[in-house]
Coordinates of all heavy atoms in Angstrom, one line a residue:
M23 N 21.9 -7.5 -16.6 CA 21.1 -6.8 -15.6 C 20.5 -7.9 -14.6 O 20.1 -8.9 -15.0 CB 20.0 -6.1 -16.2 CG 19.3 -5.1 -15.3 SD 18.4 -3.9 -16.3 CE 17.1 -3.6 -15.3
T24 N 20.6 -7.5 -13.3 CA 20.1 -8.5 -12.3 C 18.5 -8.3 -12.1 O 18.0 -7.3 -12.4 CB 20.8 -8.2 -10.9 OG1 20.5 -6.9 -10.5 CG2 22.2 -8.5 -11.0
E25 N 18.0 -9.4 -11.6 CA 16.5 -9.3 -11.3 C 16.3 -8.4 -10.1 O 17.1 -8.3 -9.2 CB 16.0 -10.8 -10.9 CG 16.0 -11.8 -12.0 CD 15.0 -11.4 -13.1 OE1 13.8 -11.2 -12.7 OE2 15.3 -11.4 -14.3
P26 N 15.1 -7.7 -10.1 CA 14.8 -6.9 -8.9 C 14.7 -7.8 -7.7 O 14.3 -8.9 -7.7 CB 13.4 -6.3 -9.2 CG 13.0 -6.9 -10.6 CD 14.1 -7.8 -11.1
I27 N 15.1 -7.2 -6.6 CA 15.1 -7.9 -5.3 C 13.6 -8.2 -4.9 O 13.3 -9.3 -4.4 CB 15.8 -7.1 -4.2 CG1 17.3 -7.0 -4.6 CG2 15.6 -7.8 -2.9 CD1 18.1 -6.1 -3.7
Y28 N 12.7 -7.2 -5.1 CA 11.3 -7.4 -4.8 C 10.5 -7.3 -6.0 O 10.8 -6.5 -6.9 CB 10.9 -6.3 -3.8 CG 11.6 -6.3 -2.5 CD1 12.6 -5.3 -2.2 CD2 11.5 -7.4 -1.6 CE1 13.3 -5.4 -1.0 CE2 12.1 -7.4 -0.4 CZ 13.1 -6.4 -0.1 OH 13.8 -6.5 1.0
Q29 N 9.4 -8.0 -6.1 CA 8.5 -7.9 -7.2 C 7.7 -6.6 -7.2 O 7.4 -6.0 -8.2 CB 7.5 -9.0 -7.2 CG 8.1 -10.4 -7.5 CD 7.1 -11.5 -7.4 OE1 5.9 -11.3 -7.2 NE2 7.6 -12.7 -7.5
K30 N 7.3 -6.1 -6.0 CA 6.6 -4.9 -5.8 C 7.1 -4.2 -4.6 O 7.5 -4.8 -3.6 CB 5.1 -5.1 -5.7 CG 4.5 -5.7 -7.0 CD 3.0 -5.9 -6.8 CE 2.4 -6.7 -8.0 NZ 2.6 -6.1 -9.3
H31 N 6.9 -2.9 -4.6 CA 7.1 -2.0 -3.5 C 5.8 -1.3 -3.1 O 5.2 -0.7 -4.0 CB 8.2 -1.0 -3.7 CG 9.5 -1.2 -3.2 ND1 10.6 -1.6 -3.9 CD2 10.0 -1.2 -1.9 CE1 11.6 -1.8 -3.1 NE2 11.3 -1.6 -1.9
V32 N 5.4 -1.4 -1.9 CA 4.2 -0.7 -1.5 C 4.6 0.3 -0.4 O 5.3 0.0 0.6 CB 3.2 -1.7 -0.8 CG1 2.0 -1.0 -0.3 CG2 2.9 -2.9 -1.7
F33 N 4.3 1.6 -0.7 CA 4.6 2.7 0.2 C 3.3 3.1 0.8 O 2.3 3.5 0.1 CB 5.2 3.8 -0.6 CG 6.6 3.5 -1.1 CD1 6.8 3.0 -2.4 CD2 7.7 3.7 -0.3 CE1 8.0 2.6 -2.8 CE2 9.0 3.3 -0.7 CZ 9.1 2.8 -2.0
I34 N 3.2 3.1 2.2 CA 2.1 3.6 2.9 C 2.4 4.7 3.7 O 3.4 4.7 4.6 CB 1.5 2.4 3.8 CG1 1.2 1.1 2.9 CG2 0.4 2.9 4.6 CD1 0.8 -0.1 3.7
C35 N 1.6 5.8 3.6 CA 2.0 7.0 4.2 C 1.6 6.9 5.7 O 0.4 6.6 6.1 CB 1.2 8.2 3.7 SG 1.4 9.8 4.6
V36 N 2.5 7.1 6.6 CA 2.3 7.0 8.1 C 2.4 8.4 8.7 O 2.6 8.5 9.9 CB 3.3 6.0 8.7 CG1 3.1 4.6 8.2 CG2 4.7 6.4 8.6
N37 N 2.5 9.4 7.8 CA 2.8 10.7 8.3 C 1.7 11.2 9.3 O 0.5 11.0 9.0 CB 2.9 11.7 7.1 CG 3.6 13.0 7.5 OD1 4.5 13.0 8.3 ND2 3.3 14.1 6.9
V38 N 2.1 11.9 10.3 CA 1.2 12.5 11.2 C 1.5 14.1 11.3 O 2.6 14.4 11.6 CB 1.3 11.9 12.7 CG1 0.4 12.7 13.6 CG2 1.0 10.5 12.6
R39 N 0.6 14.9 10.9 CA 0.8 16.3 10.9 C -0.1 16.9 12.1 O -1.3 16.8 11.9 CB 0.4 16.9 9.6 CG 1.2 16.4 8.4 CD 0.9 17.0 7.1 NE -0.5 17.2 6.9 CZ -1.0 18.2 6.1 NH1 -0.2 19.0 5.5 NH2 -2.3 18.3 6.0
E40 N 0.5 17.3 13.1 CA -0.3 17.8 14.3 C -1.3 18.8 13.9 O -1.0 19.8 13.3 CB 0.7 18.4 15.3 CG 1.6 17.3 16.0 CD 0.8 16.2 16.7 OE1 -0.3 16.5 17.2 OE2 1.2 15.1 16.7
G41 N -2.5 18.6 14.2 CA -3.6 19.5 14.0 C -4.1 19.6 12.5 O -4.9 20.5 12.2
K42 N -3.5 18.8 11.7 CA -3.9 18.9 10.3 C -4.3 17.5 9.8 O -4.0 16.5 10.4 CB -2.7 19.3 9.4 CG -2.3 20.7 9.7 CD -1.2 21.2 8.8 CE -0.8 22.6 9.1 NZ 0.3 23.1 8.3
I43 N -5.0 17.4 8.7 CA -5.3 16.1 8.0 C -4.0 15.4 7.7 O -3.1 15.9 7.1 CB -6.2 16.3 6.8 CG1 -7.5 17.0 7.1 CG2 -6.4 15.0 6.1 CD1 -8.2 17.6 5.9
S44 N -4.0 14.1 8.1 CA -2.8 13.3 7.8 C -3.2 11.9 7.7 O -4.2 11.4 8.2 CB -1.7 13.5 8.8 OG -2.1 13.4 10.1
C45 N -2.3 11.0 7.2 CA -2.7 9.6 6.9 C -2.7 8.7 8.1 O -3.5 7.9 8.2 CB -1.7 9.1 5.8 SG -2.0 9.8 4.2
K46 N -1.6 8.8 8.9 CA -1.6 8.0 10.1 C -1.8 6.5 9.8 O -2.6 5.8 10.4 CB -2.6 8.3 11.1 CG -2.6 9.8 11.6 CD -3.7 10.1 12.5 CE -3.8 11.6 12.7 NZ -5.0 12.1 13.3
G47 N -1.0 6.0 8.8 CA -1.2 4.7 8.3 C -0.5 3.5 8.9 O -0.4 2.4 8.3
M48 N 0.1 3.7 10.0 CA 0.9 2.6 10.7 C 0.1 1.4 10.8 O 0.6 0.3 10.6 CB 1.4 3.1 12.0 CG 2.6 2.4 12.5 SD 3.9 2.3 11.4 CE 4.5 0.7 11.6
E49 N -1.2 1.5 11.2 CA -2.0 0.3 11.3 C -2.1 -0.5 10.0 O -2.2 -1.7 10.0 CB -3.4 0.7 11.8 CG -4.3 -0.4 12.2 CD -5.7 0.1 12.6 OE1 -6.0 1.2 12.4 OE2 -6.4 -0.7 13.3
L50 N -2.2 0.3 8.9 CA -2.3 -0.3 7.6 C -1.0 -1.0 7.2 O -1.0 -2.1 6.6 CB -2.6 0.7 6.5 CG -3.8 1.6 6.7 CD1 -4.0 2.6 5.6 CD2 -5.1 0.8 6.9
V51 N 0.2 -0.5 7.6 CA 1.4 -1.1 7.4 C 1.5 -2.4 8.1 O 1.8 -3.4 7.5 CB 2.6 -0.2 7.8 CG1 3.9 -1.0 7.9 CG2 2.7 1.1 7.0
E52 N 1.1 -2.4 9.3 CA 1.2 -3.7 10.1 C 0.2 -4.7 9.6 O 0.6 -5.9 9.5 CB 0.9 -3.3 11.6 CG 2.0 -2.6 12.2 CD 1.7 -2.0 13.6 OE1 0.5 -2.1 14.0 OE2 2.5 -1.3 14.1
E53 N -1.0 -4.3 9.2 CA -1.9 -5.2 8.6 C -1.4 -5.8 7.3 O -1.5 -7.0 7.0 CB -3.3 -4.6 8.4 CG -4.4 -5.4 7.8 CD -4.8 -6.6 8.7 OE1 -4.3 -6.8 9.8 OE2 -5.8 -7.2 8.3
M54 N -0.9 -5.0 6.4 CA -0.4 -5.5 5.1 C 0.8 -6.5 5.4 O 0.8 -7.6 4.7 CB 0.0 -4.4 4.2 CG 0.4 -5.0 2.8 SD 0.5 -3.7 1.5 CE -1.2 -3.4 1.2
K55 N 1.7 -6.1 6.2 CA 2.8 -7.0 6.5 C 2.3 -8.4 7.1 O 2.8 -9.5 6.7 CB 3.8 -6.4 7.5 CG 4.6 -5.3 6.8 CD 5.7 -4.7 7.8 CE 6.6 -3.8 7.1 NZ 7.6 -3.2 8.0
R56 N 1.3 -8.3 8.0 CA 0.8 -9.5 8.6 C 0.2 -10.4 7.5 O 0.5 -11.6 7.5 CB -0.3 -9.1 9.6 CG -0.8 -10.3 10.4 CD -2.1 -9.9 11.2 NE -3.2 -9.6 10.4 CZ -4.0 -10.5 9.7 NH1 -3.7 -11.8 9.8 NH2 -5.0 -10.1 9.0
I57 N -0.6 -9.8 6.6 CA -1.2 -10.6 5.6 C -0.2 -11.3 4.6 O -0.3 -12.4 4.2 CB -2.3 -9.8 4.8 CG1 -3.5 -9.5 5.8 CG2 -2.9 -10.6 3.6 CD1 -4.5 -8.4 5.2
L58 N 0.8 -10.4 4.2 CA 1.8 -10.9 3.2 C 2.6 -12.0 3.9 O 2.8 -13.0 3.2 CB 2.7 -9.8 2.8 CG 2.0 -8.7 1.9 CD1 3.0 -7.5 1.7 CD2 1.6 -9.2 0.6
N59 N 2.9 -11.9 5.1 CA 3.7 -12.9 5.8 C 2.8 -14.2 5.9 O 3.3 -15.3 5.8 CB 4.2 -12.4 7.1 CG 5.4 -11.5 6.9 OD1 6.1 -11.5 6.0 ND2 5.5 -10.6 7.9
E60 N 1.6 -14.0 6.3 CA 0.7 -15.1 6.4 C 0.5 -15.9 5.1 O 0.4 -17.2 5.1 CB -0.7 -14.6 6.8 CG -1.8 -15.6 7.3 CD -3.0 -14.8 7.7 OE1 -3.1 -14.4 8.9 OE2 -3.9 -14.7 6.8
K61 N 0.6 -15.2 4.0 CA 0.5 -15.8 2.7 C 1.8 -16.3 2.1 O 1.9 -16.8 1.0 CB -0.2 -14.9 1.7 CG -1.6 -14.6 2.0 CD -2.2 -13.6 1.0 CE -3.7 -13.3 1.4 NZ -4.6 -14.5 1.1
G62 N 2.9 -16.1 2.9 CA 4.2 -16.5 2.5 C 4.9 -15.7 1.4 O 5.8 -16.2 0.7
I63 N 4.5 -14.5 1.2 CA 5.0 -13.6 0.1 C 5.6 -12.3 0.7 O 5.9 -11.4 0.0 CB 4.0 -13.3 -1.0 CG1 2.7 -12.7 -0.4 CG2 3.7 -14.5 -1.8 CD1 1.7 -12.2 -1.4
G64 N 5.9 -12.3 2.0 CA 6.5 -11.2 2.6 C 7.9 -10.8 2.2 O 8.3 -9.7 2.3
K65 N 8.6 -11.8 1.6 CA 9.9 -11.5 1.1 C 9.9 -11.1 -0.4 O 10.9 -10.7 -0.9 CB 10.8 -12.7 1.3 CG 11.1 -13.1 2.7 CD 12.2 -14.1 2.8 CE 12.7 -14.4 4.2 NZ 12.0 -13.8 5.3
E66 N 8.7 -11.2 -1.0 CA 8.6 -10.8 -2.5 C 8.1 -9.4 -2.6 O 8.3 -8.8 -3.7 CB 7.8 -11.8 -3.2 CG 8.4 -13.2 -3.3 CD 7.4 -14.3 -3.5 OE1 6.5 -14.1 -4.3 OE2 7.5 -15.4 -2.9
I67 N 7.3 -9.1 -1.7 CA 6.6 -7.7 -1.8 C 7.0 -6.9 -0.6 O 6.8 -7.3 0.6 CB 5.1 -7.9 -1.9 CG1 4.7 -8.7 -3.1 CG2 4.4 -6.5 -1.8 CD1 3.2 -9.1 -3.2
R68 N 7.7 -5.8 -0.8 CA 8.2 -5.0 0.3 C 7.2 -3.9 0.6 O 6.7 -3.2 -0.2 CB 9.5 -4.3 -0.2 CG 10.1 -3.4 0.7 CD 10.9 -4.1 1.8 NE 11.6 -3.2 2.6 CZ 12.3 -3.6 3.7 NH1 12.4 -4.8 4.0 NH2 12.9 -2.7 4.4
V69 N 6.9 -3.8 1.9 CA 6.1 -2.7 2.4 C 6.9 -1.8 3.2 O 7.6 -2.1 4.1 CB 5.0 -3.3 3.4 CG1 4.1 -2.2 3.9 CG2 4.2 -4.4 2.7
N70 N 6.9 -0.5 2.7 CA 7.6 0.6 3.4 C 6.7 1.6 3.9 O 5.8 2.0 3.3 CB 8.6 1.3 2.4 CG 9.8 0.4 2.0 OD1 9.9 -0.2 0.9 ND2 10.7 0.4 2.9
K71 N 7.1 2.1 5.1 CA 6.4 3.3 5.7 C 6.9 4.5 4.9 O 8.1 4.6 4.5 CB 6.8 3.5 7.1 CG 6.4 2.3 8.0 CD 6.8 2.6 9.5 CE 8.2 2.5 9.8 NZ 8.7 1.1 10.1
S72 N 6.0 5.3 4.6 CA 6.3 6.5 3.8 C 6.0 7.8 4.6 O 5.0 7.8 5.4 CB 5.5 6.5 2.5 OG 5.5 7.7 1.8
G73 N 6.7 8.8 4.3 CA 6.3 10.1 4.7 C 5.2 10.7 3.8 O 4.6 9.9 3.0
C74 N 4.9 11.9 4.0 CA 3.8 12.5 3.2 C 3.9 12.3 1.7 O 5.0 12.6 1.1 CB 3.7 14.0 3.5 SG 2.4 14.8 2.7
L75 N 2.9 11.8 1.1 CA 2.9 11.6 -0.4 C 2.3 12.8 -1.1 O 2.0 12.7 -2.3 CB 2.2 10.3 -0.7 CG 2.9 9.0 -0.2 CD1 2.0 7.8 -0.2 CD2 4.2 8.8 -1.0
G76 N 1.9 13.8 -0.4 CA 1.4 15.0 -1.0 C 0.0 15.0 -1.4 O -0.5 15.8 -2.2
Q77 N -0.8 14.0 -0.9 CA -2.2 13.9 -1.1 C -3.0 13.8 0.2 O -3.9 12.9 0.3 CB -2.5 12.7 -2.0 CG -1.8 12.8 -3.3 CD -2.3 13.8 -4.3 OE1 -3.5 14.2 -4.2 NE2 -1.5 14.3 -5.2
C78 N -2.7 14.6 1.2 CA -3.1 14.4 2.5 C -4.6 14.3 2.7 O -5.2 13.5 3.4 CB -2.6 15.5 3.4 SG -0.9 15.9 3.1
A79 N -5.3 15.2 1.9 CA -6.8 15.2 2.0 C -7.5 14.0 1.5 O -8.6 13.7 1.8 CB -7.3 16.4 1.2
L80 N -6.7 13.2 0.8 CA -7.3 11.9 0.2 C -6.8 10.7 1.0 O -7.1 9.5 0.6 CB -6.9 11.7 -1.3 CG -7.4 12.8 -2.2 CD1 -6.8 12.6 -3.6 CD2 -8.9 12.7 -2.3
G81 N -6.1 10.9 2.1 CA -5.5 9.8 2.8 C -6.5 9.0 3.6 O -7.7 9.4 3.8
P82 N -6.0 7.9 4.1 CA -4.7 7.3 4.0 C -4.3 6.9 2.6 O -5.2 6.3 1.9 CB -4.8 6.0 4.9 CG -5.9 6.3 5.8 CD -6.9 7.1 5.0
M83 N -3.1 7.2 2.2 CA -2.6 7.0 0.9 C -1.7 5.8 0.8 O -0.9 5.6 1.7 CB -1.8 8.2 0.4 CG -2.6 9.5 0.2 SD -3.9 9.4 -1.1 CE -3.0 8.8 -2.5
I84 N -1.8 5.0 -0.3 CA -0.9 4.0 -0.6 C -0.5 4.1 -2.1 O -1.3 4.4 -2.9 CB -1.5 2.6 -0.4 CG1 -1.8 2.4 1.1 CG2 -0.6 1.5 -0.9 CD1 -2.5 1.1 1.4
V85 N 0.8 3.8 -2.4 CA 1.2 3.8 -3.8 C 2.0 2.5 -4.0 O 2.8 2.1 -3.1 CB 2.0 5.0 -4.2 CG1 3.3 5.2 -3.4 CG2 2.4 5.0 -5.7
V86 N 1.7 1.8 -5.1 CA 2.3 0.5 -5.4 C 3.2 0.7 -6.7 O 2.7 1.1 -7.7 CB 1.3 -0.5 -5.7 CG1 1.9 -1.9 -6.0 CG2 0.3 -0.7 -4.5
Y87 N 4.5 0.2 -6.5 CA 5.4 0.2 -7.7 C 5.8 -1.2 -8.0 O 5.9 -2.0 -7.1 CB 6.6 1.1 -7.3 CG 6.4 2.6 -7.3 CD1 6.3 3.2 -6.1 CD2 6.1 3.3 -8.5 CE1 6.0 4.6 -6.0 CE2 5.8 4.6 -8.4 CZ 5.7 5.3 -7.2 OH 5.5 6.6 -7.1
P88 N 6.2 -1.5 -9.2 CA 6.5 -0.6 -10.3 C 5.3 0.0 -11.1 O 5.6 0.8 -11.9 CB 7.4 -1.5 -11.2 CG 6.8 -2.9 -11.0 CD 6.4 -2.9 -9.6
E89 N 4.1 -0.4 -10.8 CA 3.0 0.0 -11.6 C 2.7 1.5 -11.4 O 2.1 2.1 -12.3 CB 1.7 -0.8 -11.3 CG 1.8 -2.2 -11.5 CD 2.2 -2.9 -10.2 OE1 3.1 -2.4 -9.4 OE2 1.5 -3.9 -9.9
G90 N 3.0 2.1 -10.3 CA 2.7 3.5 -10.0 C 1.2 3.6 -9.8 O 0.6 4.6 -10.2
I91 N 0.5 2.7 -9.1 CA -0.9 2.7 -8.8 C -1.1 3.4 -7.4 O -0.5 3.0 -6.5 CB -1.5 1.3 -8.7 CG1 -1.3 0.6 -10.1 CG2 -2.9 1.4 -8.3 CD1 -2.1 1.1 -11.3
W92 N -1.9 4.4 -7.4 CA -2.2 5.2 -6.2 C -3.5 4.8 -5.6 O -4.5 4.9 -6.4 CB -2.1 6.7 -6.5 CG -0.7 7.2 -6.7 CD1 0.0 6.9 -7.8 CD2 0.0 8.1 -5.9 NE1 1.2 7.6 -7.7 CE2 1.2 8.4 -6.5 CE3 -0.3 8.8 -4.7 CZ2 2.2 9.2 -6.0 CZ3 0.7 9.6 -4.1 CH2 1.9 9.8 -4.8
Y93 N -3.6 4.6 -4.3 CA -4.9 4.3 -3.7 C -5.1 5.4 -2.6 O -4.2 5.8 -1.9 CB -4.9 2.9 -3.0 CG -4.8 1.8 -4.0 CD1 -3.8 0.9 -3.9 CD2 -5.8 1.6 -4.9 CE1 -3.7 -0.2 -4.8 CE2 -5.8 0.5 -5.8 CZ -4.7 -0.4 -5.7 OH -4.7 -1.5 -6.6
S94 N -6.4 5.8 -2.5 CA -6.7 6.8 -1.5 C -7.8 6.3 -0.6 O -8.6 5.3 -0.9 CB -7.3 8.0 -2.2 OG -8.5 7.8 -2.9
K95 N -7.9 7.0 0.6 CA -8.9 6.7 1.6 C -9.0 5.1 1.9 O -10.1 4.6 2.0 CB -10.3 7.2 1.2 CG -10.3 8.7 1.0 CD -11.7 9.2 0.7 CE -11.7 10.7 0.5 NZ -11.2 11.6 1.5
V96 N -7.8 4.6 2.1 CA -7.7 3.1 2.3 C -8.0 2.8 3.8 O -7.5 3.5 4.7 CB -6.3 2.6 2.0 CG1 -6.2 1.2 2.3 CG2 -6.0 2.9 0.5
S97 N -8.9 1.9 4.0 CA -9.3 1.4 5.3 C -8.6 0.2 5.6 O -8.0 -0.5 4.7 CB -10.8 1.2 5.5 OG -11.2 0.1 4.8
I98 N -8.6 -0.3 6.9 CA -8.0 -1.5 7.3 C -8.6 -2.7 6.6 O -7.9 -3.6 6.2 CB -8.1 -1.7 8.8 CG1 -7.1 -2.7 9.3 CG2 -9.5 -1.9 9.3 CD1 -5.7 -2.3 9.5
K99 N -9.9 -2.6 6.3 CA -10.5 -3.7 5.6 C -10.1 -3.8 4.1 O -10.2 -4.8 3.5 CB -12.1 -3.5 5.6 CG -12.7 -3.8 7.0 CD -14.2 -3.8 6.8 CE -14.8 -3.2 8.1 NZ -16.2 -2.6 7.9
D100 N -9.7 -2.7 3.6 CA -9.2 -2.7 2.1 C -7.9 -3.3 1.9 O -7.5 -3.7 0.8 CB -9.1 -1.2 1.6 CG -10.4 -0.5 1.6 OD1 -11.5 -1.1 1.3 OD2 -10.4 0.8 1.8
I101 N -7.1 -3.5 3.0 CA -5.8 -4.0 2.8 C -5.8 -5.4 2.3 O -5.0 -5.7 1.3 CB -5.0 -3.9 4.2 CG1 -4.8 -2.5 4.6 CG2 -3.7 -4.7 4.1 CD1 -3.9 -1.7 3.7
E102 N -6.6 -6.3 2.8 CA -6.7 -7.6 2.3 C -7.1 -7.7 0.8 O -6.7 -8.5 0.0 CB -7.5 -8.6 3.2 CG -7.4 -10.0 2.7 CD -7.8 -11.0 3.8 OE1 -8.5 -10.5 4.8 OE2 -7.4 -12.1 3.7
V103 N -8.0 -6.8 0.5 CA -8.5 -6.7 -0.9 C -7.4 -6.3 -1.8 O -7.2 -6.9 -2.9 CB -9.7 -5.7 -1.0 CG1 -10.2 -5.5 -2.5 CG2 -10.9 -6.1 -0.1
I104 N -6.6 -5.3 -1.4 CA -5.4 -4.9 -2.2 C -4.5 -6.0 -2.4 O -3.9 -6.2 -3.5 CB -4.8 -3.6 -1.6 CG1 -5.7 -2.4 -1.7 CG2 -3.5 -3.3 -2.3 CD1 -5.3 -1.2 -1.0
V105 N -4.2 -6.7 -1.3 CA -3.3 -7.8 -1.4 C -3.8 -8.9 -2.4 O -3.1 -9.3 -3.3 CB -3.0 -8.4 0.0 CG1 -2.3 -9.8 -0.1 CG2 -2.3 -7.5 0.9
N106 N -5.0 -9.3 -2.2 CA -5.5 -10.4 -3.0 C -5.7 -10.0 -4.4 O -5.4 -10.7 -5.4 CB -6.9 -10.9 -2.4 CG -6.7 -11.7 -1.1 OD1 -5.6 -12.3 -0.9 ND2 -7.7 -11.6 -0.3
E107 N -6.4 -8.9 -4.7 CA -6.7 -8.5 -6.1 C -5.5 -7.9 -6.8 O -5.4 -8.2 -8.0 CB -7.9 -7.5 -6.1 CG -9.2 -8.1 -5.6 CD -10.4 -7.3 -5.7 OE1 -10.4 -6.3 -6.4 OE2 -11.4 -7.6 -5.0
H108 N -4.8 -7.0 -6.2 CA -3.7 -6.4 -6.9 C -2.4 -7.0 -6.7 O -1.7 -7.5 -7.7 CB -3.6 -4.9 -6.4 CG -2.6 -4.1 -7.1 ND1 -2.4 -2.7 -7.0 CD2 -1.6 -4.5 -8.0 CE1 -1.4 -2.3 -7.7 NE2 -0.9 -3.3 -8.3
L109 N -1.9 -7.2 -5.5 CA -0.5 -7.7 -5.3 C -0.4 -9.1 -5.7 O 0.6 -9.5 -6.3 CB -0.1 -7.5 -3.8 CG -0.2 -6.0 -3.3 CD1 0.3 -5.9 -1.9 CD2 0.6 -5.1 -4.2
I110 N -1.4 -9.9 -5.5 CA -1.4 -11.3 -5.9 C -2.0 -11.5 -7.3 O -1.5 -12.1 -8.2 CB -2.0 -12.2 -4.9 CG1 -1.2 -12.2 -3.6 CG2 -2.1 -13.7 -5.4 CD1 -1.9 -12.9 -2.4
G111 N -3.2 -11.0 -7.4 CA -4.0 -11.2 -8.6 C -3.6 -10.3 -9.8 O -3.9 -10.6 -11.0
G112 N -2.9 -9.2 -9.6 CA -2.4 -8.4 -10.7 C -3.5 -7.4 -11.2 O -3.2 -6.8 -12.2
H113 N -4.6 -7.3 -10.6 CA -5.6 -6.3 -11.0 C -5.8 -5.3 -9.9 O -6.3 -5.5 -8.9 CB -7.0 -7.1 -11.2 CG -6.9 -8.2 -12.2 ND1 -6.7 -8.0 -13.5 CD2 -6.8 -9.6 -12.0 CE1 -6.6 -9.2 -14.1 NE2 -6.7 -10.1 -13.2
P114 N -5.5 -4.0 -10.3 CA -5.6 -2.9 -9.3 C -7.1 -2.8 -8.8 O -8.0 -3.1 -9.6 CB -5.3 -1.7 -10.1 CG -4.3 -2.2 -11.1 CD -4.8 -3.6 -11.5
V115 N -7.3 -2.4 -7.6 CA -8.7 -2.2 -7.1 C -9.2 -0.8 -7.5 O -8.9 0.2 -7.0 CB -8.6 -2.3 -5.5 CG1 -10.0 -2.2 -4.9 CG2 -7.9 -3.6 -5.1
E116 N -10.0 -0.9 -8.5 CA -10.4 0.4 -9.2 C -11.1 1.3 -8.3 O -10.9 2.5 -8.4 CB -11.3 0.0 -10.4 CG -10.6 -0.8 -11.5 CD -9.4 0.0 -12.1 OE1 -9.5 1.3 -12.2 OE2 -8.4 -0.6 -12.5
R117 N -12.0 0.9 -7.4 CA -12.8 1.8 -6.5 C -11.9 2.6 -5.6 O -12.3 3.6 -5.1 CB -13.8 1.0 -5.8 CG -13.2 0.2 -4.6 CD -14.3 -0.6 -3.8 NE -13.8 -1.6 -3.0 CZ -13.2 -1.3 -1.8 NH1 -13.3 -0.1 -1.3 NH2 -12.7 -2.3 -1.1
L118 N -10.6 2.2 -5.4 CA -9.8 2.9 -4.4 C -8.7 3.8 -5.2 O -8.0 4.5 -4.5 CB -9.0 1.9 -3.5 CG -9.9 1.1 -2.6 CD1 -9.0 0.0 -1.9 CD2 -10.5 2.0 -1.5
R119 N -8.7 3.7 -6.5 CA -7.6 4.3 -7.2 C -7.9 5.8 -7.4 O -9.0 6.3 -7.5 CB -7.5 3.8 -8.7 CG -6.8 2.4 -8.7 CD -6.7 1.9 -10.1 NE -5.6 2.7 -10.8 CZ -5.3 2.4 -12.0 NH1 -5.8 1.4 -12.7 NH2 -4.3 3.2 -12.6
I120 N -6.7 6.6 -7.4 CA -6.8 7.9 -7.9 C -5.9 8.0 -9.1 O -5.0 7.2 -9.3 CB -6.3 9.0 -6.8 CG1 -4.9 8.8 -6.4 CG2 -7.3 9.0 -5.7 CD1 -4.3 9.9 -5.6
R121 N -6.2 8.9 -10.0 CA -5.4 9.0 -11.2 C -4.9 10.4 -11.5 O -5.4 11.3 -11.0 CB -6.3 8.6 -12.4 CG -6.7 7.2 -12.3 CD -7.9 6.9 -13.2 NE -8.7 5.7 -12.8 CZ -8.5 4.5 -13.3 NH1 -7.5 4.3 -14.1 NH2 -9.2 3.5 -12.9
Ligands
FES212 S1 0.1 13.0 5.3 FE1 -0.2 11.3 4.0 S2 -0.2 12.1 2.0 FE2 0.2 13.8 3.2

């Protein structure tokens, strides 16, 4: 069996539902990519734009695999915390998690 290409996959909902609650997470995608590249780990952790993750009222939503950790109501300031504590440090950010 081959090694996975990426250590982690981060899916960030960028869905926009006209007139309805939606995540609109494109700014979060750009910020996470910027930080990962700045730290030199942009090739190890893949950030993907996602469509609706089915939790719109809790958005902006992020899910991290392979752990399957879901984050809700993520702000732009939370992105660096998720990168440092979870993606690098290995400890999910408990205050942002949904279960
Ligand atoms: S619009 Fe993001 S979870 Fe539905």
Side-chain angles (χ1 to χ4, degrees):
M23 195 159 145
T24 58
E25 289 292 312
I27 295 171
Y28 300 109
Q29 292 177 4
K30 295 185 190 300
H31 257 107
V32 180
F33 293 90
I34 301 177
C35 177
V36 298
N37 200 32
V38 177
R39 302 184 315 154
E40 289 304 322
K42 296 183 178 177
I43 296 168
S44 49
C45 289
K46 303 174 188 167
M48 198 57 217
E49 188 182 18
L50 304 181
V51 170
E52 289 166 1
E53 178 69 352
M54 185 167 283
K55 286 183 175 180
R56 184 191 68 74
I57 293 170
L58 292 174
N59 287 331
E60 191 178 275
K61 293 178 180 289
I63 53 175
K65 291 192 176 4
E66 295 158 38
I67 299 172
R68 176 78 174 178
V69 180
N70 283 104
K71 298 185 284 277
S72 166
C74 180
L75 294 166
Q77 301 291 332
C78 319
L80 298 175
M83 295 296 306
I84 293 179
V85 60
V86 180
Y87 291 105
E89 302 95 316
I91 301 289
W92 289 67
Y93 292 120
S94 66
K95 300 188 183 298
V96 178
S97 73
I98 195 83
K99 287 186 218 160
D100 294 325
I101 294 295
E102 187 156 19
V103 177
I104 291 171
V105 169
N106 288 334
E107 293 185 17
H108 183 172
L109 303 181
I110 295 173
H113 303 288
V115 183
E116 296 298 328
R117 72 178 169 82
L118 296 172
R119 284 183 72 177
I120 61 169
R121 297 164 200 268

